[in-house]
Amino acid sequence: EYMGTTLIFMSTDSPPTCPRAHLDCNCLICEQMREGRATEPMPILIAYTLKKSGPHGEAVDLTEEEWHEFERRFPDEAEWLQSFKEKSWWKFFYKLLNKLMEHRQAKDFLAPVNWRDLGLIDYPKIITHPMDLGTVKQRMEENYYIHPEDLIDDIRRVFHNCFTYCRPEDPPRINAVALSKMFEAEMLQKYYRVAL
């Protein structure tokens, strides 16, 4: 019961699966499924919307004023009910990701490393979990990330892979250092301050 009426949590979407669930996906879940060592099933997330019970028991949308009042009184529940693209962490990281991708030093990190064309035949042996900013952006747009920590890990992996494979004097590594510092500084200054 809320504001004199009954609130109803209604499922809005079918449970999503990994949007890249195929042989090229490098997420931990898909890797474990391929190797037959998954210890638990694919996590399921169902989106919900908030309705109120009408005079005849039908589900009715909340007015804008009612939603704002609910959001004020129950911020944690309201955050969960919002779509991914409305969540504050999603907005923050999407903006930061675009800023990274538009940087003049980001060209080596916008797409998967084309190691065959570059003649880097040892790349797949050294880098077992490749990642790039373009893939991170695609995953964000497909609601792949349920928690911001997973998104942060993937962005850091882009740079860590470069640190692992390239020599300190290599231009891609120099660029990765600059972008990594920029990413961490933005998070320290804006994200963690809000999140804590």
Side-chain angles (χ1 to χ4, degrees):
E1 291 290 328
Y2 171 67
M3 294 190 296
T5 189
T6 301
L7 296 180
I8 309 165
F9 292 87
M10 300 183 67
S11 173
T12 59
D13 300 310
S14 59
T17 58
C18 172
R20 289 171 50 90
H22 51 68
L23 292 178
D24 294 331
C25 183
N26 292 301
C27 79
L28 182 61
I29 295 167
C30 287
E31 178 185 307
Q32 290 183 344
M33 295 295 283
R34 277 197 305 272
E35 297 177 4
R37 57 186 180 88
T39 56
E40 54 189 57
M42 179 83 71
I44 297 299
L45 174 70
I46 300 176
Y48 288 89
T49 186
L50 190 64
K51 301 279 186 178
K52 64 181 179 180
S53 180
H56 305 292
E58 74 279 17
V60 180
D61 289 331
L62 270 67
T63 65
E64 189 173 344
E65 293 77 18
E66 288 171 332
W67 167 253
H68 287 312
E69 176 63 15
F70 180 87
E71 194 175 28
R72 184 187 68 78
R73 291 180 59 183
F74 306 101
D76 293 338
E77 289 80 0
E79 171 77 4
W80 175 252
L81 287 165
Q82 290 175 331
S83 74
F84 279 98
K85 295 178 178 62
E86 292 173 328
K87 292 182 183 293
S88 57
W89 66 262
W90 194 98
K91 291 178 181 178
F92 171 81
F93 282 108
Y94 195 74
K95 183 177 179 181
L96 178 52
L97 181 62
N98 282 319
K99 185 175 179 180
L100 288 171
M101 295 179 76
E102 291 166 5
H103 196 279
R104 60 183 176 80
Q105 292 176 286
K107 63 181 178 64
D108 293 320
F109 311 105
L110 301 179
V113 173
N114 194 344
W115 57 270
R116 288 186 182 90
D117 287 355
L118 294 171
L120 308 175
I121 57 173
D122 59 345
Y123 189 84
K125 294 178 182 177
I126 297 172
I127 304 301
T128 56
H129 299 287
M131 186 52 61
D132 63 275
L133 298 178
T135 297
V136 174
K137 184 172 183 177
Q138 179 186 347
R139 287 182 170 189
M140 287 195 74
E141 291 172 346
E142 292 174 345
N143 296 336
Y144 176 90
Y145 300 108
I146 298 173
H147 304 291
E149 291 79 11
D150 299 324
L151 167 61
I152 293 168
D153 287 346
D154 270 357
I155 294 176
R156 284 175 171 160
R157 179 176 291 169
V158 175
F159 307 127
H160 181 265
N161 286 348
C162 186
F163 300 152
T164 301
Y165 188 80
C166 295
R167 296 169 298 184
E169 67 271 18
D170 290 342
R173 179 166 178 151
I174 294 170
N175 292 336
V177 169
L179 291 172
S180 178
K181 286 181 179 178
M182 174 181 160
F183 174 67
E184 299 296 337
E186 288 271 346
M187 281 209 305
L188 185 63
Q189 181 181 2
K190 299 175 182 176
Y191 176 68
Y192 285 126
R193 180 177 297 175
V194 172
L196 292 176

